[in-house]
Amino acid sequence: MCTITALKPQKRSKSRVNVFLDGKFAFGMAFQIAHNLNVGQKLSGNDVVRLQVEDEVEKAHDKVLVFLAHRPRSEAEVSTRLSRHGFPKEVAQTVLQRLRAAGLVNDTAFAAFWVGNRSTFRPRGLRALRVELLQKGVSDEVIESVLEDVNQQADARRAADKRVARLRDLPERERRRKLREFLARRGFEYDIISDVIDKLMAEEYDNED
């Protein structure tokens, strides 16, 4: 057993406390953990290990909150981020449980955000969206449930509208070819591509009359 002889706020981080055991610095920890400790309190070796693990969880949680501040993340992205920072798998799992309980990570919500963002700014076909979400670690089941609501026709048309302005001076055959290649790279299916281009060309002819 050892005795807590001092609890001192860190100079560089007021949210952390230095813990002294038997007159010597032992370790630092988050204030929200240290506030339960008292000078004179006895700690066993297991107590010290438990406190250090709890502190690792707090540090990992704080890093993830910064990571999540930029945009929603998948669970796999969070796990990968913590692994890169050197946090053990057990710590990452504990943090993920806290984040789930708080509603801060949810793969279904993340996938819906990702698809909606793509639809608005860089429309993609189902094939491309599926690949992107798989790369983010989202499960097949979640992906399929989210992609059910995607309007491929509308997204393909939106993508084509943005692209066709650059092709105004080209002959129709060349415009069709470039639009077809562009939409194919975006992951749209052949039938949808053909239908969208045909309608786009027909509307151009109507506007010229």
Side-chain angles (χ1 to χ4, degrees), residues 3-199:
T3 303
I4 298 176
T5 51
L7 297 167
K8 299 180 180 180
Q10 293 184 357
K11 293 181 179 180
R12 293 186 178 181
S13 178
K14 298 301 182 183
S15 63
R16 294 185 63 77
V17 174
N18 288 331
V19 180
F20 291 78
L21 300 177
D22 298 332
K24 297 180 181 180
F25 169 77
F27 49 84
M29 63 169 32
F31 175 79
Q32 56 262 45
I33 301 173
H35 85 278
N36 291 318
L37 303 178
N38 299 292
V39 174
Q41 183 177 345
K42 301 289 186 180
L43 297 178
S44 67
N46 287 337
D47 289 332
V48 171
V49 171
R50 174 180 55 80
L51 289 169
Q52 290 176 322
V53 170
E54 289 180 10
D55 186 56
E56 278 290 283
V57 170
E58 288 301 323
K59 287 192 290 187
H61 187 261
D62 288 345
K63 283 191 176 295
V64 169
L65 291 182
V66 174
F67 187 49
L68 292 172
H70 301 288
R71 66 164 173 80
R73 308 282 180 173
S74 68
E75 288 197 13
E77 286 183 291
V78 171
S79 294
T80 299
R81 186 74 168 193
L82 291 175
S83 177
R84 288 176 180 171
H85 280 286
F87 291 104
K89 186 176 181 179
E90 296 76 13
V91 169
Q93 288 301 318
T94 301
V95 171
L96 278 170
Q97 289 174 4
R98 286 178 59 179
L99 295 172
R100 289 189 205 107
L104 295 176
V105 292
N106 179 306
D107 274 2
T108 299
F110 165 77
F113 159 81
W114 187 268
V115 170
N117 186 272
R118 281 297 195 222
S119 178
T120 301
F121 299 106
R122 292 179 65 83
R124 294 280 194 276
L126 294 187
R127 174 164 47 85
L129 290 170
R130 188 174 288 108
V131 169
E132 289 181 343
L133 290 171
L134 283 171
Q135 291 174 340
K136 297 296 182 183
V138 179
S139 70
D140 288 324
E141 182 180 1
V142 169
I143 291 173
E144 294 310 316
S145 69
V146 170
L147 294 186
E148 285 180 356
D149 298 327
V150 173
N151 187 331
Q152 291 192 85
Q153 194 82 17
D155 283 351
R157 178 56 191 260
R158 193 176 301 110
D161 284 341
K162 291 180 179 180
R163 191 70 173 183
V164 74
R166 304 181 184 181
L167 311 174
R168 294 291 186 195
D169 297 332
L170 296 177
E172 180 185 337
R173 179 177 295 182
E174 186 71 4
R175 271 184 294 160
R176 283 179 174 271
R177 182 182 67 79
K178 286 187 175 296
L179 279 174
R180 188 164 51 248
E181 292 173 349
F182 170 72
L183 292 174
R185 289 195 301 272
R186 288 288 184 93
F188 291 104
E189 297 173 2
Y190 176 79
D191 290 346
I192 290 176
I193 292 173
S194 296
D195 188 50
V196 165
I197 293 177
D198 286 345
K199 289 179 178 178

